[in-house]
Amino acid sequence: PSRMLASALPVEGATLAPVKRMIKIPKKNIEEMISHARQAYPQECCGLLAGNSGMASDTYRMTNIDQSQFSYLMEPKEQFVALKDMRKKGIEMIAIYHSHPKTDAEPSITDIKLAYYPDAYYIILSLAEPMRPDIRAHRIIDGKAEEVGITIV
């Protein structure tokens, strides 16, 4: 039988650091999102990542029907096709991604206001420095954005 060490027991009044969530994304999916952002430039691109257990496996590019540098709206028919494909493959949507062509990879006030999926990661690709894209992931829950780690596998 295993024994718990006394030092592993919680101490009254002690606080534990929160566990930082992390999304795992294969390099090919990172490259696909960067390619999509560069092709859409100077407009925002948008899309979905799907997989299982926080590990992305599939990228679904969506058309930004806003055709804007400052906002995105995914084409509904494309979303429906993507969700049907996910169901067929036995995977689920784990992240929503979009680009910020000229600003940093932090969620804007609009991004936070329109974040309707608390279980999803929100990935933002900044092309403010086009040769050095910055990619960050966040969880957005109840109007609060928290950056989470990205592991490239």
Side-chain angles (χ1 to χ4, degrees):
S2 66
R3 292 182 10 196
M4 182 178 274
L5 298 175
S7 62
L9 296 174
V11 176
E12 187 174 327
T15 58
L16 299 175
V19 175
K20 192 167 186 174
R21 292 180 180 243
M22 184 161 296
I23 183 171
K24 296 175 188 163
I25 307 174
K27 186 177 181 196
K28 70 178 178 70
N29 298 85
I30 295 282
E31 291 169 349
E32 175 69 19
M33 290 187 297
I34 292 170
S35 172
H36 189 191
R38 286 180 171 152
Q39 289 171 7
Y41 188 88
Q43 312 289 337
E44 286 194 4
C45 77
C46 54
L48 305 171
L49 288 181
N52 286 309
S53 304
M55 171 70 159
S57 59
D58 293 64
T59 303
Y60 296 89
R61 287 183 178 211
M62 299 287 140
T63 300
N64 178 1
I65 61 176
D66 273 359
Q67 296 183 357
S68 168
Q69 297 179 40
F70 309 107
S71 65
Y72 71 94
L73 181 61
M74 294 183 192
E75 206 289 327
K77 290 178 185 167
E78 292 175 358
Q79 289 180 66
F80 182 70
V81 168
L83 292 172
K84 279 180 65 174
D85 188 63
M86 290 176 208
R87 193 175 315 126
K88 185 176 95 183
K89 291 179 176 178
I91 57 178
E92 60 188 9
M93 180 184 77
I94 59 172
I96 298 166
Y97 75 86
H98 74 282
S99 63
H100 283 180
K102 298 183 185 215
T103 58
D104 64 14
E106 295 298 321
S108 68
I109 292 168
T110 302
D111 293 336
I112 293 169
K113 188 171 99 177
L114 298 176
Y116 299 120
Y117 300 94
D119 292 332
Y121 292 94
Y122 288 84
I123 298 173
I124 302 173
L125 299 91
S126 171
L127 293 180
E129 293 183 48
M131 298 312 294
R132 294 183 55 210
D134 184 21
I135 303 170
R136 297 181 186 259
H138 295 82
R139 292 306 283 264
I140 304 174
I141 301 170
D142 295 329
K144 295 184 180 96
E146 178 185 355
E147 186 169 351
V148 298
I150 297 174
T151 299
I152 300 171
V153 293

